[in-house]
Amino acid sequence: GNSVTQMEGPVTLSEEAFLTINCTYTATGYPSLFWYVQYPGEGLQLLLKATKADDKGSNKGFEATYRKETTSFHLEKGSVQVSDSAVYFCALAQGAQKLVFGQGTRLTINP
Amino acid sequence: DAGITQSPRHKVTETGTPVTLRCHQTENHRYMYWYRQDPGHGLRLIHYSYGVKDTDKGEVSDGYSVSRSKTEDFLLTLESATSSQTSVYFCASSPQAVSSYEQYFGPGTRLTVT
C-alpha cells in the first residue's frame, strides 16, 4: 500500500541555519504530496503542496520539490527562525479522499 | 481558517465505558475525517465521511464507530474504551477531494482511558 517515510527526529538547529527534512514515499501512480505543520497545542495546518512531478510548493520561506525519479518531497528552508519550531508531517493523497501521513519530525530552533 | 471545533478538548474515562467525541464544522465541507495521533505513528485515519450518512473505515477502525446525520457534525464513538485508545484525536474536513484541496484540522481532543 501507499506509505510515507520521514527522517527521524527530533531535529535541533540554531536560528538562521539551513533546514532539510527528508520525505520519501511509496505509491502507485502520481499522488499529490503535502507538508503539514503542527505548532504546539494546535491541530495540523497545510504548509505547502505539489500536485505533479517537478512541481515546487512554497510557503513562508519553505520549499519542497516533487521528485518522481527519487520518489521524494524533501522540505527545505534557507534560514530558520525560533517560530518555526513545530512538528512537520509529510503526506500523500491516496485516491481522491484520503491522506497518508508520515510519522512526523519534531523541529526545535534555538536562538 | 475553516471553522472546526471539537468537544470535549480533554477527557478522562475508565476502561469499558463508551465515549463520544464531537466534531463540528461551519464551512459546509463535504468530507470529514477522524484521526488519532500517537508518538512514532504520525496521524492514522480511523474513519471518514464523504457525505451525510456516508462513511467508511480507515486503517485503525477497530473499536470505533462514527455517525454523520448532518453536514456539519461528525461523531466518533468508542464503544467500550480501552487503554490502547488513549491518544489525541483530531477531526478534519475538506471541501472536495484531497488530491487538490487541503484538509482543515480541529484543535484536537486528548483522551485518557484509565
Side-chain angles (χ1 to χ4, degrees), chain A residues 3-20:
Chain A
S3 65
V4 176
T5 301
Q6 294 181 229
M7 67 185 290
E8 291 287 333
V11 175
T12 303
L13 296 172
S14 298
E15 204 165 23
E16 300 184 1
F18 184 86
L19 169 70
T20 300

Side-chain angles (χ1 to χ4, degrees), chain B:
Chain B
D1 288 343
I4 300 180
T5 57
Q6 294 183 231
S7 59
R9 294 292 313 279
H10 302 272
K11 186 169 182 66
V12 179
T13 191
E14 293 184 348
T15 298
T17 61
V19 176
T20 296
L21 308 183
R22 179 178 183 246
C23 177
H24 179 77
Q25 53 106 350
T26 58
E27 303 298 317
N28 200 35
H29 287 173
R30 176 182 175 187
Y31 296 90
M32 296 186 75
Y33 306 83
W34 276 108
Y35 295 92
R36 60 178 290 173
Q37 182 178 28
D38 304 290
H41 291 279
L43 269 73
R44 293 181 290 176
L45 182 65
I46 304 171
H47 282 280
Y48 67 101
S49 170
Y50 46 96
V52 173
K53 293 184 169 38
D54 291 324
T55 64
D56 205 350
K57 296 178 179 180
E59 63 178 305
V60 291
S61 59
D62 286 349
Y64 301 94
S65 62
V66 291
S67 65
R68 191 168 179 203
S69 58
K70 297 186 289 185
T71 298
E72 58 266 35
D73 290 327
F74 193 34
L75 303 181
L76 176 71
T77 297
L78 288 66
E79 293 140 9
S80 177
T82 68
S83 58
S84 64
Q85 294 176 312
T86 293
S87 186
V88 180
Y89 291 85
F90 286 98
C91 175
S93 70
S94 179
Q96 298 290 342
V98 295
S99 56
S100 299
Y101 292 84
E102 69 180 280
Q103 287 188 7
Y104 297 87
F105 284 79
T109 294
R110 184 174 296 276
L111 176 68
T112 302
V113 183
T114 61

Side-chain angles (χ1 to χ4, degrees), chain A residues 11 17 41 75-76 84 104 108:
Chain A
V11 175
L75 182 68
E76 297 182 335
D84 294 326
T108 300

Side-chain angles (χ1 to χ4, degrees), chain A residues 9-55:
Chain A
V11 175
T12 303
L13 296 172
S14 298
E15 204 165 23
E16 300 184 1
F18 184 86
L19 169 70
T20 300
I21 300 178
N22 290 338
C23 171
T24 58
Y25 67 90
T26 301
T28 54
Y30 305 106
S32 295
L33 300 173
F34 305 81
W35 277 100
Y36 278 79
V37 59
Q38 183 181 29
Y39 298 104
E42 299 183 7
L44 279 70
Q45 55 186 273
L46 181 66
L47 180 60
L48 53 83
K49 69 178 182 182
T51 58
K52 61 183 186 294
D54 299 325
D55 267 2

